[in-house]
Amino acid sequence: TATTDLFGGQGMRRVVPFVAALLLLGPLGLTVWLAFSPDAFFSLPVQDASTRWFGLAVGDERWRGALLRSVWMAGLSGLVAVGLALLAGLSIRQGEKPWWLVALLLPACIPHAAWAMGLLAWVGQLPGWAGVWVLVLAHAVLGVPVAFLVLRLRLDGTHHALLATARGLGAGPVAAWWRVGLPRLVPALAVGFLLSGTLALHEP
């Protein structure tokens, strides 16, 4: 029947990517739609289109400063998150599950609002520059689990076997890592950086 064909093997292969793309891109489309709202408080449906907020973002010094500050903080926290995730991933042997792995992944289970409220009183007591660095580290801690899970997909048995093969062919540990190990991890490092940086940018 048609229902069986739709939700059978081939049907599911066609429906699942469409549903996944809708769930991932739906919020983005809604955000773009709301960006053209002229109202101070976003509400649906958007009756009139306006570029008011884009003009403020470009012409107002406060908006530009906030945007630039948010971008560099998000980029820096993404770099810290990827660096910590890489160190953690390289320190775990194949098939090993150390006790501290739970602590590493725990920030992914903590509500971000609770994390922010816990830091609010402490950050408020610090000078301005110190508070900024605390926020960068706080965002990095939230991004470490995401970057680590992405990197673990590359730090598998094949990765270790390639490094062992390179060393067996005469390459030193540093050369094997630089010419074989690191290039293989670059895509995962880039994805981890983008995800953790986006997470930091999303959580002001």
Side-chain angles (χ1 to χ4, degrees):
T1 63
T3 304
T4 304
D5 293 338
L6 179 62
F7 294 101
Q10 289 289 6
M12 286 299 291
R13 292 192 186 96
R14 296 172 182 172
V15 171
V16 169
F18 174 77
V19 173
L22 184 64
L23 292 175
L24 291 173
L25 299 179
L28 177 61
L30 181 62
T31 302
V32 172
W33 186 20
L34 288 174
F36 289 95
S37 171
D39 301 325
F41 295 95
F42 295 144
S43 59
L44 291 175
V46 176
Q47 301 293 340
D48 300 318
S50 172
T51 59
R52 170 190 176 187
W53 303 112
F54 297 96
L56 284 175
V58 174
D60 194 312
E61 180 64 31
R62 294 173 300 175
W63 283 76
R64 288 203 307 270
L67 177 61
L68 292 176
R69 190 180 305 111
S70 298
V71 169
W72 79 257
M73 287 178 65
L76 186 57
S77 64
L79 288 176
V80 174
V82 168
L84 293 175
L86 181 60
L87 290 176
L90 293 175
S91 64
I92 299 177
R93 296 178 181 178
Q94 187 68 19
E96 184 183 33
K97 294 183 179 179
W99 61 270
W100 50 263
L101 186 58
V102 176
L104 184 75
L105 300 177
L106 185 61
C109 305
I110 300 176
H112 295 175
W115 180 252
M117 291 299 294
L119 289 173
L120 180 61
W122 184 45
V123 172
Q125 305 293 329
L126 298 174
W129 63 269
V132 169
W133 290 107
V134 169
L135 289 177
V136 168
L137 292 177
H139 285 144
V141 170
L142 294 176
V144 166
V146 177
F148 175 79
L149 292 176
V150 172
L151 282 170
R152 285 297 289 173
L153 298 176
R154 282 285 185 173
L155 292 170
D156 53 6
T158 303
H159 179 81
H160 295 289
L162 288 173
L163 289 178
T165 302
R167 289 194 296 268
L169 293 174
V174 176
W177 164 252
W178 183 255
R179 303 187 66 177
V180 177
L182 184 59
R184 189 172 185 273
L185 294 179
V186 166
L189 291 172
V191 172
F193 169 75
L194 290 176
L195 289 177
S196 55
T198 302
L199 181 65
L201 190 63
H202 175 68
E203 301 293 341

